[in-house]
Amino acid sequence: MFLQGEYPSIKVAPPGPNARKILKEDQKYLMQSFHRFYPLVVKRAKGFLVEDVDGNIYIDLNAGIAVAVTGHCHPHVVEAIKRRSEELLHYSITDFVYEDPVLLARKLSEITPGSFQKKIFFGNSGTEAVEGGIKVARGYFEGRRPIVFAFIGSFHGRSLGSLSLTASKPVQRRWFQPLLPCVEHVPYPYCYRCPWKQTFPDCDYWCIDFIEEWYFRRYVPAEEVSAFVFEPIAGEGGYVVPPEGYWRKLKRLADKYGILLIDDEVQAGMGRTGKWFAIEHWGIAPDILLVAKGIASGLPLSAVIGREDLMNLPPGSHASTFGGNPISCSAALATIEVIERENLLENARKVGEHVLKRLQEMYSKYDIIGDVRGKGLMIGAEIVEDKDNKKPAPKAAQKIMEESFKRGVLLITAGLSTLRFSPPLVISLEAMDKALNIIEEVIKNVSRNTLH
Ligand SMILES: Cc1ncc(COP(=O)(O)O)c(C=O)c1O
C-alpha cells in the first residue's frame, strides 16, 4: 500500500509498462513545448513521496517545481478544497465579491514584509503575477515611466510581457521577438560567474554602480524607469544566491531615482527559504511582491501584493476571470495555516542547513561540484568539468539527475548545470539523508567516469 514499508522503492525499472503506454500518448497529443526531465508518470503523491503508475515510490526533491510546500495532498488543504468546492466553485472576483480572497488578502498583507498598508490583486499563475506587477508600476506613473529593468539569468514566465523580462535560456525567447519595448537587462549578481571576473567583497558591488554609471549616465533616463523586477534568489536560472547586502544596495539606488522594486517570489516565496519571503534575508521590504507556485499547495493562484498607494489601477483596467477563485483561495488559507501550525519555516531552515552541510562535504570530495549555495530548502549544487576550469557540465548534471531518478529520487536541474533541491517543506531529515545518500553514490560514479 502507498506510503508503507521502505522508501524509495523501485519495483519496476522506470519507465514501467503502464508509464510507457501513457508516455506514448503524451508524445502524440501534448505539444512538445512541454519539457520532460525524465520518464516519470505520476499516479499519486503524499507528503514528500510520489508514486508512479507502476507502483514505484520516489522521494520528491522537486515538489512539482517548487509548488507543494505543505507536502503533496496535505489533509488540511484537501479538506479545505473539499469543503469549499461543495459550496462554490466560481463567481469571478473581477466583478463580484465573496469572502475567501478578502480573508486571504488580509492574511497575505500580514505575512509579507513591510508594515505599510497593502492591497492585493489575484491571478492564476506566476507569469500573470509578473504581468500584473509591470502594469501596476507603469500605471502608478500614469505612463510617464515606461522602462523596466530586469536581470540576465532570471526567469519571470513565458507570456509575452513576462517573457520580455525572462533572460535565462535562448529557447525561451527564440521565434517570439519582438517583445515588450523599454526593457533593459543587467547581469544577475552571480558571484561564482561574475561577468567582470571580480570577487566579492573586493568588487564593492560594482554590478550595482555599473547600472548608474553605464545606463543612467549614458543612455537610459532614470526618470523614465518605473521598476526593477528581480528574483531575490534566481530559480530557473540556476539557484543563485546574491551576496549579502546586494538587494539593500539596489534599494538605495532605486530610492535615489524614485524607482520601484518588484520582488518576484514566485519560486522563492511561501517559506521555501526558511522565511516567509526570501527578500527578508536581506532585510528590505519591496514595493510590490509577486507570489504564485507554493501559495495554494498546488492549486492555480497568484498574487500581486503592493503598497496601497501603488495599487490604484482604475476599475476595468486589470482583471482575470478565474483569478482568486474560491477553491484556490481556501487552499491558500489552509496552506498558510499548515506552514504556521507545523513550523515549516523552521523545518525548512533545519533540513536546509543539513543539506548544505552534506553538499559541502561532497564539494570537498568531488571535483565536479563547483559551487554549493542556497537558503532554507532552495539549494543548488553547480556541476562543472572541474573546480579549476569551472566550465558548466550539463551532461554530467543530466546523468546525475537521470540516475537518481532510476534509484528513486526526484531531482531536476536549473541553469546550465545546477542540481536543484526544492523538496516539500515537510520533508524529514531521515528522508533527506536517504535521498542524499543515493545522490552521493550517483555523483561518485559520474565523477569516476568524468562525463561532461
Ligand atoms: C521566479 C519565477 N517567476 C515566474 C514564473 C512563472 O510562473 P508560471 O509558470 O506559473 O507562469 C516562474 C516559474 O517557474 C518563476 O520561477
Side-chain angles (χ1 to χ4, degrees), residues 65 125-128 130 155-157 231 236 264 266-267 292-293:
I65 319 287
S125 62
T127 197
E128 205 183 333
V130 175
F155 184 85
H156 297 287
E231 291 176 88
E236 207 274 336
D264 179 348
V266 166
Q267 186 146 177
K293 284 197 185 283

Side-chain angles (χ1 to χ4, degrees), residues 114-135:
S115 50
F116 42 80
Q117 181 72 33
K118 295 158 199 156
K119 280 197 168 177
I120 297 180
F121 171 86
F122 288 115
N124 302 283
S125 62
T127 197
E128 205 183 333
V130 175
E131 303 284 343
I134 299 171
K135 283 178 74 176

Side-chain angles (χ1 to χ4, degrees), residues 109-309:
S109 302
E110 286 165 16
I111 63 171
T112 42
S115 50
F116 42 80
Q117 181 72 33
K118 295 158 199 156
K119 280 197 168 177
I120 297 180
F121 171 86
F122 288 115
N124 302 283
S125 62
T127 197
E128 205 183 333
V130 175
E131 303 284 343
I134 299 171
K135 283 178 74 176
V136 166
R138 283 187 169 180
Y140 173 67
F141 294 110
E142 298 176 343
R144 290 184 302 274
R145 287 181 175 238
I147 301 170
V148 174
F149 267 75
F151 290 83
I152 303 171
S154 281
F155 184 85
H156 297 287
R158 294 181 173 92
S159 54
L160 288 171
S162 70
L163 181 60
S164 315
L165 309 185
T166 289
S168 159
K169 296 192 177 101
V171 67
Q172 292 150 355
R173 299 177 142 239
R174 186 176 294 125
W175 302 340
F176 307 129
Q177 316 214 47
L179 299 169
L180 266 191
C182 299
V183 174
E184 299 289 345
H185 281 93
V186 290
Y188 196 82
Y190 187 1
C191 297
Y192 181 63
R193 297 193 182 280
C194 173
W196 295 279
K197 311 255 185 265
Q198 297 209 33
T199 327
F200 181 79
D202 294 345
C203 63
D204 199 20
Y205 301 101
W206 162 244
C207 47
I208 293 182
D209 295 336
F210 170 79
I211 299 172
E212 196 169 24
E213 290 189 22
W214 288 85
Y215 286 74
F216 294 171
R217 295 227 176 101
R218 284 176 165 81
Y219 80 102
V220 179
E223 72 281 7
E224 291 182 4
V225 179
S226 56
F228 286 104
V229 183
F230 64 92
E231 291 176 88
I233 295 177
E236 207 274 336
Y239 275 37
V240 180
V241 185
E244 194 267 319
Y246 181 87
W247 298 120
R248 277 196 302 283
K249 176 145 176 157
L250 187 79
K251 180 167 165 51
R252 282 200 290 279
L253 179 71
D255 286 349
K256 182 170 169 188
Y257 292 100
I259 298 169
L260 302 175
L261 290 185
I262 304 184
D263 172 16
D264 179 348
E265 298 254 1
V266 166
Q267 186 146 177
M270 296 309 292
R272 173 142 304 284
T273 67
K275 293 191 185 279
W276 276 113
F277 296 96
I279 197 68
E280 294 173 61
H281 291 281
W282 283 266
I284 59 164
D287 301 291
I288 296 169
L289 190 143
L290 312 176
V291 197
K293 284 197 185 283
I295 187 172
S297 294
L299 263 61
L301 183 69
S302 65
V304 179
I305 303 160
R307 254 178 31 216
E308 186 195 23
D309 57 312

Side-chain angles (χ1 to χ4, degrees), residues 49 51 69 93 105 107 120 123 127 163 175 213 218 222 229 243 256 294 299 331 347 354 384 414 427 440 442:
L49 296 179
E51 183 180 333
V69 288
I93 197 72
K107 191 69 196 169
I120 297 180
T127 197
L163 181 60
W175 302 340
E213 290 189 22
R218 284 176 165 81
V229 183
K256 182 170 169 188
L299 263 61
N347 196 55
H354 182 69
V384 293
I427 196 161
E440 177 160 11
V442 171

